[in-house]
């Protein structure tokens, strides 16, 4: 019984301590995805057939548990900052006044940095596609850690590769158990007389100003909302 009591205490902490919509995500990541969900709801509400309000007015009903005022205010502030293009301080002040509470600005700042980092990761993401049919296909070579490794291609024979550093990579497809190259992709002949596809990964241009960082963060937040709407995941 004492163990159950402690567990219940952890589930209902003081206001501003928990993020109930965060499942296994960090507070910053939970905030990003909650704000993206709120943005999808607001768009659906504004453009829905049954909505009679003008384009600048929208009502979205949120069901919240007790002691969640601070979390909801932070959610609204994040949504206004990333999706409504309000400055952070203005968004925080508006949300604090509306819900009569205080917001931990550091969570918003961490979430913005996470959006920027995620955008940079997307910029370095490489997608390989096998366009020529078959029952099964995978890719092997430098792009997946060496020729002794192979990674199966997913639906529509596509695989997305993350974390490749700038440089030159060689790879080949294995289609129905047979080595193959993509004839329409860049290719080179190696010293043993074998054709391999070649991939050149360029360095990502640096983000130099705070304005650029905010633009990148907002772009990534919008992309997360769109992908969730389309069921593509992130």
């Amino acid at each position: 019984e004492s163990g159950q009591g402690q567990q219940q205490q952890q589930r209902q902490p003081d206001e501003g301590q928990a993020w109930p919509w965060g499942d296994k995500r960090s507070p910053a990541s939970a905030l990003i995805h909650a704000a993206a969900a709120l943005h999808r709801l607001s768009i659906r509400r504004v453009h829905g057939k049954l909505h009679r309000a003008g384009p600048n007015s929208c009502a979205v009903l949120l069901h919240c548990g007790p002691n969640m005022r601070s979390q909801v205010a932070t959610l609204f502030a994040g949504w206004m900052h990333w999706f409504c293009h309000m400055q952070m301080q203005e968004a925080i002040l508006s949300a604090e006044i509306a819900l009569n509470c205080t917001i931990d600005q550091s969570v918003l700042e961490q979430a913005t940095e996470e959006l920027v980092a995620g955008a940079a990761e997307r910029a370095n993401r490489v997608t390989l596609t096998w366009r020529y049919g078959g029952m099964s296909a995978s890719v092997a070579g430098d792009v997946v850690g060496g020729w002794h490794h192979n990674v199966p291609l997913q639906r529509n024979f596509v695989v997305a590769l993350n974390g490749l550093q700038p440089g030159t990579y060689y790879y080949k497809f294995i289609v129905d158990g047979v080595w193959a190259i993509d004839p329409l992709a860049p290719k080179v002949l190696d010293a043993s007389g074998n054709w391999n596809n070649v991939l050149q990964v360029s360095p990502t241009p640096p983000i130099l100003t705070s304005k650029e960082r905010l633009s990148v963060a907002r772009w990534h937040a919008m992309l997360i909302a769109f992908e969730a709407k389309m069921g593509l995941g992130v």
Side-chain angles (χ1 to χ4, degrees):
E1 290 183 1
S2 60
Q4 291 178 351
Q6 291 177 356
Q7 187 175 16
Q8 289 177 355
Q9 266 190 330
Q10 292 174 354
R11 289 180 180 175
Q12 297 180 359
D14 293 337
E15 185 173 347
Q17 298 296 315
W19 286 83
W21 49 68
D23 49 70
K24 295 182 179 180
R25 300 185 177 106
S26 67
S29 181
L31 172 59
I32 291 167
H33 287 81
L38 177 59
H39 188 62
R40 296 198 313 273
L41 287 174
S42 66
I43 291 177
R44 185 185 305 171
R45 187 69 175 134
V46 168
H47 297 287
K49 294 180 180 179
L50 300 180
H51 185 58
R52 299 179 182 178
N56 295 323
S57 60
C58 173
V60 175
L61 180 63
L62 296 179
H63 294 275
C64 306
N67 301 324
M68 289 180 58
R69 188 182 298 270
S70 178
Q71 296 95 320
V72 173
T74 307
L75 167 60
F76 282 142
W79 174 66
M80 289 186 289
H81 180 49
W82 299 319
F83 295 98
C84 303
H85 288 215
M86 292 179 65
Q87 294 300 317
M88 182 177 291
Q89 293 300 330
E90 181 184 2
I92 289 175
L93 181 60
S94 299
E96 287 180 336
I97 292 174
L99 281 91
N100 191 28
C101 66
T102 58
I103 290 175
D104 184 357
Q105 182 174 329
S106 66
V107 177
L108 277 173
E109 293 172 343
Q110 291 169 13
T112 300
E113 289 303 311
E114 187 168 312
L115 284 168
V116 173
E121 181 180 318
R122 284 177 182 270
N124 290 326
R125 184 179 300 172
V126 174
T127 301
L128 300 178
T129 305
W130 178 255
R131 308 173 177 86
Y132 313 103
M135 297 299 294
S136 65
S138 58
V139 64
D142 299 337
V143 292
V144 292
W147 292 101
H148 56 290
H149 292 142
N150 67 84
V151 174
L153 274 62
Q154 305 302 314
R155 183 177 57 182
N156 298 325
F157 287 160
V158 173
V159 63
L161 304 173
N162 295 312
L164 292 178
Q165 298 299 314
T168 303
Y169 297 86
Y170 302 95
Y171 66 97
K172 220 165 186 174
F173 294 95
I174 305 173
V175 183
D176 297 336
V178 179
W179 290 94
I181 62 168
D182 182 348
L184 297 181
K187 52 188 178 291
V188 294
L189 195 63
D190 66 16
S192 301
N194 300 310
W195 285 102
N196 299 312
N197 287 123
V198 59
L199 173 69
Q200 188 70 42
V201 177
S202 301
T204 304
I207 300 173
L208 300 178
T209 67
S210 58
K211 185 176 180 180
E212 288 179 346
R213 297 184 73 81
L214 182 54
S215 296
V216 168
R218 286 170 171 167
W219 168 80
H220 192 202
M222 193 68 72
L223 192 57
I224 289 173
F226 172 77
E227 288 182 335
K229 176 179 175 60
M230 301 302 293
L232 301 177
V234 290

